[in-house]
Amino acid sequence: MLSRVADNLFWLGRYAERAENTARLVDVTLRLATLPAERGHDGEGGVWHSAIVSAGCEDSYFAVHSDVTPEPAIHHLVFDRENPSSIVACIDFARRNGRAVRTALTQATWEALNTLWLEFDRRAVQAQANDDLAELLDWVQYSAAAVRGATAGTMLRSDAYWFLQLGHFMERGDNTARILDVKYHVLLPDHAPVGSAVDYFQWSALLRALSAARTYAYVYREPVRPRNVAELVILRPEMPRSLAASLSQVDRYLMAIASDYDTGKNPALDLARARYARIRDLGVEDVFAYGMHEFLTNFIEENVEQSNAIAETYLR
Amino acid sequence: MDEAVPPAAFFNEMYAPDGGISPSYRGVAAWLERTPSELVELKRREAEFLFRRIGITFAVYSAGADPERIIPFDIVPRVIAANEWAVLERGLEQRVRALNAFLHDIYHSREILRAGVIPEAQVLQHPAYVREMAGLVLPHRAYTTIAGIDIVRTGPEEFYVLEDNLRTPSGVSYMLENREMMMRLFPDLCARHRIRPVDHYPDALLATLRSLAPRACDDEPTVALLTPGLYNSAYFEHSYLADRMGVELVEGADLFVEGDEVFMRTTEGPRRVDVLYRRIDDPFLDPEVFREDSMLGVPGLMRAYRAGKVNLANAIGTGVADDKATYIHVPKMIDFYLGEKPILNNVPTWDCSEPESHAHVRERLQELVVKEVHGSGGYGMLVGPTATAEERAAFAERLDAAPQNYIAQPTLALSAAPTFVESGVAPRHLDLRPFVLTGEQVTIVAGGLTRVALREGSLVVNSSQGGGTKDTWVLADTHG
């Protein structure tokens, strides 16, 4: 496969995943902002400030705004084409990457992606007119899922599919780590007071941002405890948006590519193998001992390294 | 102003000389008779929806236009009888053989120039004559590997070649997709005819390209299609053909030259390319030799080409043979190289570089079509009978300033065929572009792209000027 084609597929995966995750993040933030404790709490430490940081949009946001208030924050995260991480920009980039490699995609995948792109602007106008952002965000998540579903259901399991998946899971790991890092203090075991309403909503918002609220109840069958939340979203490989799951999938698809190609020295695979092996052996206490914030920062930095290694090995 | 109907009488392909329905059109005529126009309209909309969803689009370079426009598709097929096609097929092969012989000659011993058949300056000083091609021996002496020859018809037996497209002719994806669409919309109508298939065109193209592998290539040749990229008007066709042939669709940046060999960058490391079906124009192919500012090409490509390590289709420098000024000489080429009489005639053409012709053209501007010799796409032309007096006066000034840049032809009474338009089914003028493949042998898939002028009386079929397309049925026998 042409390196350029693999590169387009990888970034198609990354941008489609980011659009979906940002939609989920904004959705949760809207919900959180309705809590009594959050009213009039827009600035540093407020819910929209956290959302901006979680989405990795601090630099782009503060380049044009001096403080965080809901309206500009929403505009920046959802509608602003000047912000390369906004939902609309991610959809544009995903579609552009897809269009460049149309023949590497199945008809169903292309049509799902093209529909997401064709419809977004119309629905955005509608959402702003009806003041119903939540519906737009629902639709983005639903349509991004349709793209993933078309991919899973129709694409041949070969390098095109693997590079696309690699993009999805690289991005997902990064997005989950960023969401956690902003809220890491509420996950620490010495965080007190336990059981306050505010904490409860913080945790449940975090779980919702990762589509894991029901999962938590199913896996733990007990009230939300920070230790369990941390374990679920960092270490449980069966939780599809956890860091461990992302590392396991990155490892899996790099393995598939490497065994298909048989191209010798492979720094991308070596790093992925090492990272996955490391996280598999960790318990949640190890993460606390290492320092949650340090652990997450380290994960994000290693992810950048991983992405560069993939580019170096296959995409240039 | 609106378009007038230039020739009062024109040949309608649906009718035989005796006024009855032509045998080849009987099936279509009966179908038109019994199908209510509401159903036809429904099917037409369905076709448009399908074309847009699949993304068969064509970019038009004009401000404010829909950047991803579809070319209107007419659902009434254009039918060509077996005996008519047999003549066309022989004529096309003959013409393209002569054109390839001409191209080989002008880059080698130049016999046709030395014999004084064609003026030397006209060839050697032509902007599309590429000096770097001189002396380069190409496999099977194939220069124009893919030729699109535009044919017009004026009567039951009268076919003329309007233009040769020998550089990077496009449109073949419409030939294939239009057939797909007809089979999907009207399976019964298709089944009632014995239509010669076109679906194997990509296989024939791939076989042709492989037969042109450079001598240096001793294993299975690797073919790739080189596109200018996403924003090219024919990008859909490039990706479609690459997909159907199962070859990589590459851009300039995907290729590099090392040791006079061409490689593509793949996820498994560099892979050698032996034959490039390039859809990039000559000036943009290699910034080391041609335009330095080209971002589309591959530095060193010409070096590899000259070293015989890679072959290009079409060859570089074919444009000199498809110019309107060279066109005039094609019948002489057929005589010179093949010793044959042309099977397909040229449209009578006045070369305005000759003072007598210039004077003649000036007097009859109202009757003639005047074309620029280096132009294409229907922009730099005057259709005398439909132009206003002011338009003719303005054009006359340009003509007088540089008569050598113009040729003129009579306004042909182009044939028409039944076409679905707003008022129902009515005759509309059309042309035909069959594609001729030259490799180890000459291959012509029975069919081509039929372009149709959708406006009443209009003779301009170009898609950039509002023309549409039709499926072209070459029948396996003379009767429909």
Side-chain angles (χ1 to χ4, degrees):
Chain A
M1 165 179 284
L2 289 177
S3 298
R4 175 178 50 85
V5 171
D7 187 63
N8 285 132
L9 289 163
F10 180 75
W11 286 100
L12 164 56
R14 289 201 73 151
Y15 282 116
E17 181 72 27
R18 195 181 301 175
E20 182 184 345
N21 292 341
T22 305
R24 201 178 281 108
L25 177 71
V26 174
D27 201 11
V28 171
T29 308
L30 281 174
R31 189 186 288 264
L32 216 48
T34 62
L35 292 183
E38 296 296 337
R39 288 204 191 280
H41 193 93
D42 294 335
E44 181 96 12
V47 291
W48 286 108
H49 186 265
S50 298
I52 293 281
V53 177
S54 298
C57 294
E58 244 178 324
D59 291 348
S60 59
Y61 184 85
F62 288 108
V64 274
H65 301 287
S66 52
D67 56 351
V68 182
T69 47
E71 226 166 279
I74 289 170
H75 176 77
H76 193 72
L77 290 172
V78 181
F79 303 109
D80 189 357
R81 283 197 154 85
E82 303 289 304
N83 170 16
S85 289
S86 71
I87 294 174
V88 65
C90 287
I91 291 172
D92 281 352
F93 287 135
R95 198 257 185 182
R96 198 177 306 165
N97 278 289
R99 184 161 183 251
V101 294
R102 264 205 44 188
T103 54
L105 302 175
T106 55
Q107 187 77 14
T109 303
W110 165 251
E111 285 182 9
L113 178 65
N114 204 30
T115 303
L116 175 64
W117 178 80
L118 282 170
E119 287 253 311
F120 182 85
D121 283 338
R122 187 180 63 77
R123 286 182 177 265
V125 170
Q126 206 178 314
Q128 282 164 311
N130 301 345
D131 197 18
D132 195 352
L133 187 58
E135 181 171 354
L136 177 70
L137 297 169
D138 268 356
W139 176 81
V140 170
Q141 292 172 63
Y142 172 84
S143 303
V147 176
R148 276 191 285 114
T151 307
T154 60
M155 273 184 69
L156 184 71
R157 270 26 175 196
S158 67
D159 45 5
Y161 178 77
W162 297 327
F163 280 108
L164 189 54
Q165 294 303 311
L166 206 49
H168 270 287
F169 287 104
M170 284 297 298
E171 186 67 27
R172 190 178 292 181
D174 176 81
N175 294 176
T176 297
R178 283 175 196 280
I179 288 175
L180 294 182
D181 198 30
V182 173
K183 290 285 172 203
Y184 79 93
H185 54 276
V186 301
L187 293 176
L188 298 178
D190 56 359
H191 176 74
V194 177
S196 79
V198 173
D199 283 340
Y200 177 82
F201 282 110
Q202 294 272 26
W203 296 323
S204 92
L206 207 149
L207 288 170
R208 277 174 197 280
L210 299 170
S211 280
R214 297 287 291 274
T215 305
Y216 180 93
Y218 182 81
V219 172
Y220 293 99
R221 299 188 188 285
E222 61 174 5
V224 178
R225 286 172 49 207
R227 181 208 165 273
N228 292 350
V229 175
E231 184 186 73
L232 180 67
V233 299
I234 296 174
L235 299 177
R236 295 289 286 243
E238 64 271 40
M239 154 59 197
R241 313 197 86 80
S242 73
L243 300 187
S246 127
L247 291 180
S248 120
Q249 298 301 304
V250 168
D251 176 64
R252 172 186 170 189
Y253 290 114
L254 280 172
M255 272 294 281
I257 293 165
S259 52
D260 191 42
Y261 286 173
D262 195 22
T263 39
K265 210 165 96 56
N266 193 329
L269 180 63
D270 294 345
L271 180 57
R273 304 247 79 182
R275 292 178 79 200
Y276 181 44
R278 220 184 309 140
I279 205 165
R280 252 185 325 193
D281 290 341
L282 285 183
V284 71
E285 283 71 25
D286 300 324
V287 176
F288 290 134
Y290 185 83
M292 172 85 88
H293 175 60
E294 290 71 21
F295 179 86
L296 293 169
T297 311
N298 188 40
F299 180 95
I300 292 166
E301 280 166 5
E302 273 191 356
N303 233 34
V304 173
E305 215 178 297
Q306 178 79 67
S307 193
N308 290 341
I310 292 169
E312 198 58 52
T313 312
Y314 295 116
L315 309 181
R316 285 184 194 139
Chain B
M1 76 170 252
D2 220 23
E3 311 223 2
V5 185
F10 55 83
F11 171 61
N12 187 331
E13 297 185 359
M14 188 155 81
Y15 297 98
D18 66 4
I21 301 287
S22 149
S24 56
Y25 263 97
R26 272 177 202 151
V28 171
W31 168 73
L32 286 173
E33 188 72 23
R34 70 172 176 268
T35 309
S37 59
E38 301 79 57
L39 180 66
V40 177
E41 171 60 17
L42 204 70
K43 292 285 187 182
R44 192 193 61 76
R45 283 203 201 145
E46 190 181 335
E48 187 173 323
F49 169 76
L50 288 170
F51 274 125
R52 199 174 280 282
R53 200 181 66 178
I54 302 167
I56 306 179
T57 56
F58 182 91
V60 174
Y61 302 111
S62 69
D66 177 358
E68 288 179 25
R69 198 171 68 87
I70 60 168
I71 296 183
F73 169 66
D74 180 60
I75 58 171
V76 186
R78 192 256 187 102
V79 186
I80 297 173
N83 57 332
E84 295 166 351
W85 178 256
V87 175
L88 281 177
E89 195 174 32
R90 283 190 296 121
L92 289 166
E93 174 163 354
Q94 178 195 55
R95 189 170 179 102
V96 172
R97 278 191 194 283
L99 286 163
N100 272 310
F102 169 72
L103 283 160
H104 177 82
D105 186 22
I106 60 169
Y107 289 118
H108 291 84
S109 49
R110 302 176 181 171
E111 278 162 36
I112 200 163
L113 307 182
R114 286 192 281 127
V117 177
I118 299 175
E120 190 175 274
Q122 192 189 324
V123 172
L124 301 184
Q125 277 154 42
H126 194 283
Y129 184 85
V130 179
R131 264 156 239 295
E132 289 81 354
M133 287 300 291
L136 178 56
V137 180
L138 296 178
H140 304 298
R141 297 187 175 183
Y143 282 77
T144 180
T145 305
I146 300 102
I149 310 295
D150 291 347
I151 304 274
V152 295
R153 189 176 188 186
T154 57
E157 313 258 305
E158 288 84 50
F159 291 95
Y160 293 97
V161 174
L162 188 65
E163 191 172 58
D164 305 293
N165 296 281
L166 309 178
R167 305 177 197 208
T168 54
S170 62
V172 80
S173 56
Y174 292 94
M175 170 178 91
L176 299 168
E177 280 293 311
N178 288 356
R179 178 65 53 82
E180 278 297 311
M181 195 58 75
M182 287 304 287
M183 306 269 268
R184 190 160 168 175
L185 296 177
F186 305 107
D188 293 347
L189 178 66
C190 294
R192 275 197 298 274
H193 289 80
R194 287 183 56 214
I195 310 162
R196 294 186 57 186
V198 292
D199 199 47
H200 57 295
Y201 178 84
D203 298 333
L205 176 59
L206 183 60
T208 300
L209 293 168
R210 286 187 164 188
S211 78
L212 295 175
R215 277 173 255 282
C217 167
D218 47 13
D219 45 2
E220 183 89 326
T222 300
V223 176
L225 196 158
L226 176 61
T227 174
L230 212 49
Y231 300 103
N232 184 269
S233 62
Y235 180 74
F236 167 75
E237 178 159 303
H238 305 162
S239 75
Y240 177 87
L241 286 175
D243 200 29
R244 289 286 311 270
M245 287 193 287
V247 306
E248 295 291 357
L249 178 66
V250 299
E251 296 176 14
D254 295 324
L255 300 176
F256 66 95
V257 176
E258 202 175 279
D260 289 348
E261 289 187 316
V262 179
F263 294 92
M264 52 186 173
R265 299 174 219 272
T266 82
T267 50
E268 295 171 81
R271 184 162 160 214
R272 198 187 71 220
V273 179
D274 304 301
V275 182
L276 268 177
Y277 175 23
R278 51 92 174 202
R279 296 289 294 261
I280 294 182
D281 295 337
D282 287 359
F284 299 96
L285 272 179
D286 182 352
E288 285 182 7
V289 182
F290 306 110
R291 283 180 59 156
E292 280 173 48
D293 60 343
S294 171
M295 308 291 286
L296 305 173
V298 186
L301 185 60
M302 191 67 198
R303 209 170 354 108
Y305 188 39
R306 281 209 60 99
K309 296 291 182 72
V310 71
N311 201 2
L312 303 177
N314 290 350
I316 293 176
T318 57
V320 66
D322 73 1
D323 189 78
K324 293 186 175 70
T326 313
Y327 161 89
I328 298 171
H329 304 296
V330 177
K332 286 185 261 176
M333 291 176 199
I334 293 171
D335 176 49
F336 188 81
Y337 296 111
L338 309 177
E340 296 172 9
K341 269 175 64 89
I343 298 166
L344 294 173
N345 289 313
N346 268 11
V347 177
T349 304
W350 289 277
D351 178 354
C352 298
S353 68
E354 294 163 12
E356 273 171 47
S357 298
H358 178 211
H360 176 86
V361 170
R362 282 293 270 109
E363 267 167 43
R364 298 173 56 195
L365 219 44
Q366 202 163 347
E367 302 158 35
L368 299 175
V369 178
V370 190
K371 297 173 177 173
E372 232 179 311
V373 288
H374 305 307
S376 71
Y379 292 108
M381 64 189 278
L382 175 84
V383 181
T386 64
T388 60
E390 296 83 65
E391 281 167 343
R392 280 197 297 274
F395 202 92
E397 266 180 45
R398 284 171 22 217
L399 171 63
D400 293 346
Q404 70 282 3
N405 286 350
Y406 296 90
I407 55 125
Q409 294 170 335
T411 316
L412 294 179
L414 290 195
S415 62
T419 301
F420 187 72
V421 293
E422 267 171 36
S423 55
V425 174
R428 288 291 181 268
H429 298 291
L430 29 74
D431 78 352
L432 174 68
R433 176 181 291 183
F435 294 88
V436 182
L437 301 176
T438 304
E440 197 174 2
Q441 57 191 37
V442 176
T443 311
I444 306 173
V445 169
L449 168 66
T450 289
R451 298 183 298 178
V452 55
L454 294 172
R455 272 173 299 173
E456 188 172 2
S458 171
L459 295 170
V460 184
V461 296
N462 300 45
S463 55
S464 53
Q465 308 269 304
T469 70
K470 279 170 169 289
D471 189 15
T472 310
W473 290 5
V474 174
L475 300 185
D477 38 29
T478 303
H479 296 264

